């Protein structure tokens, strides 16, 4: 199957490729096998990036690390793929699941590299890493003692952040934020209104105003009459933690991450 998918052209066979990738991401075992073939030493970069993108979308809102079995891959390939998953900024639920699978390997070299990648997740995604590790069942935490150590460290770090001074805007409730946004919006409207009143050009330009609402209205006809049905709109959002280094240093942050593509240095 993987050979047949690799023979597809990403620019031409888009529908067939999408169907194959959808089948791959639904099976963690097939995903591991495909990444080992396309993201290992003989990388097929276009296919690998497409698969990583689909996996990131699939597990973007995952509450626990993905449980992966890397027994079908050689240790060197599994480690290289782990580094390249981090280089491609794969969603932490999947890349951290890969790292945890490496930690279960008894080889000393593999565990050394796995600890390095675990430190990468702690450094770049501290809140997401803490949330994902806390969701692990107690049995898994017992089999991986390093998880308990990491959680203890992240908990102390989180407590230190909570005690640090904050701007008042960051401590506002949702209702206070809405009220503040309303005040800013009214202030902007007043500024624009005064500018339009004093503008000579606006005396010759026709203006159209549109109003926005929190509800949408559906119009339908029945028995020769037209009816309107209001539908309330519910907000939906997914919180995503971006890499800290790239937020602090957008110029060189991605470069440091891209260096992980070459794999372990030793």
């Amino acid at each position: 199957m993987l050979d047949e998918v690799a023979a597809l052209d990403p620019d031409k066979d888009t529908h067939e490729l999408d169907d194959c990738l959808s089948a791959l991401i639904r099976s963690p075992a097939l995903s591991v096998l495909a990444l080992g073939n396309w993201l290992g030493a003989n990388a097929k970069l276009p296919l690998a990036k497409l698969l990583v993108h689909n996996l990131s979308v699939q597990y973007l809102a995952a509450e626990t690390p993905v449980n992966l079995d890397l027994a079908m891959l050689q240790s060197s390939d599994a480690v290289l793929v782990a580094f390249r998953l981090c280089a491609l900024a794969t969603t932490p639920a999947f890349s951290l699941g890969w790292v945890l699978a490496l930690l279960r390997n008894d080889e000393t070299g593999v565990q050394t590299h796995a600890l390095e990648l675990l430190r990468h997740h702690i450094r770049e995604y501290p809140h997401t890493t803490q949330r994902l590790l806390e969701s692990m069942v107690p049995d898994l935490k017992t089999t991986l003692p390093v998880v308990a150590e990491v959680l203890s460290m992240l908990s102390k770090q989180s407590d230190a952040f909570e005690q640090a001074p904050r701007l008042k805007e960051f401590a506002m409730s949702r209702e206070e934020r809405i009220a503040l946004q309303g005040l800013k919006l009214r202030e902007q409207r007043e500024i624009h209104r005064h500018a339009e009143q004093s503008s000579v050009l606006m005396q010759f330009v026709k203006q159209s105003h549109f109003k926005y609402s929190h509800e949408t209205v559906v119009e339908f006809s029945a028995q020769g009459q037209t009816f309107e049905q209001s539908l309330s709109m519910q907000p939906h959002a997914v919180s995503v933690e971006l890499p800290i280094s790239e937020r602090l240093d957008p110029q060189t942050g991605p470069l440091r991450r891209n260096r992980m593509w070459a794999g372990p240095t030793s």
Side-chain angles (χ1 to χ4, degrees), residues 122 126-128 130-131 134 150-164 166:
I122 296 170
H127 300 295
T128 304
Q130 181 180 4
R131 174 177 59 82
E134 285 178 346
V150 169
L151 282 175
S152 177
M153 182 189 66
L154 288 174
S155 179
K156 293 179 182 178
Q157 179 177 301
S158 179
D159 292 340
F161 283 143
E162 289 294 332
Q163 297 174 4
R166 296 185 176 186

Side-chain angles (χ1 to χ4, degrees), residues 42-248:
N42 300 318
K44 294 179 176 61
L45 196 54
L47 278 175
K49 284 187 174 181
L50 282 174
L51 179 57
V52 168
H53 171 74
N54 281 269
L55 288 170
S56 295
V57 173
Q58 175 75 9
Y59 297 109
L60 183 63
E63 297 294 334
T64 59
V66 183
N67 187 19
L68 300 172
D69 184 5
L70 308 182
M72 64 187 73
L73 301 181
Q74 294 184 1
S75 299
S76 58
D77 290 336
V79 171
L80 180 59
V81 171
F83 274 86
R84 291 183 171 179
L85 286 174
C86 295
L88 294 175
T90 313
T91 185
F94 190 84
S95 58
L96 182 61
W98 196 287
V99 172
L100 294 175
L102 289 178
L103 286 172
R104 300 186 187 98
N105 194 312
D106 296 332
E107 297 181 28
T108 304
V110 173
Q111 290 201 355
T112 301
H113 298 314
L115 290 174
E116 179 183 353
L117 294 171
L118 182 59
R119 287 192 292 269
H120 167 79
H121 283 80
I122 296 170
R123 183 173 60 252
E124 297 291 346
Y125 312 98
H127 300 295
T128 304
T129 301
Q130 181 180 4
R131 174 177 59 82
L132 291 172
L133 293 180
E134 285 178 346
S135 67
M136 296 173 61
V137 297
D139 293 341
L140 292 177
K141 296 179 183 179
T142 304
T143 57
L144 294 174
V146 67
V147 172
E149 299 175 8
V150 169
L151 282 175
S152 177
M153 182 189 66
L154 288 174
S155 179
K156 293 179 182 178
Q157 179 177 301
S158 179
D159 292 340
F161 283 143
E162 289 294 332
Q163 297 174 4
R166 296 185 176 186
L167 293 175
K168 184 179 180 181
E169 287 80 358
F170 292 162
M172 285 184 174
S173 64
R174 180 175 179 272
E175 290 75 15
E176 291 173 337
R177 290 180 184 276
I178 294 175
L180 180 60
Q181 290 175 356
L183 291 174
K184 291 182 178 180
L185 183 60
R186 284 194 292 271
E187 182 181 2
Q188 292 176 358
R189 287 175 176 171
E190 286 296 319
I191 294 174
H192 285 294
R193 186 174 63 83
H194 287 298
E196 291 172 356
Q197 290 176 350
S198 59
S199 173
V200 178
L201 178 62
M202 296 306 298
Q203 298 178 9
F204 307 96
V205 177
K206 183 179 179 180
Q207 301 183 60
S208 297
H209 299 277
F210 298 90
K211 293 185 178 181
Y212 297 89
S213 175
H214 293 290
E215 292 187 350
T216 183
V217 178
V218 178
E219 185 179 282
F220 61 94
S221 300
Q223 298 179 354
Q225 297 183 357
T226 302
F227 301 91
E228 291 184 351
Q229 176 65 49
S230 299
L231 302 176
S232 60
M233 302 176 66
Q234 300 295 330
H236 176 73
V238 176
S239 178
V240 178
E241 183 180 14
L242 299 177
I244 286 182
S245 64
E246 297 182 23
R247 283 185 286 166
L248 298 178

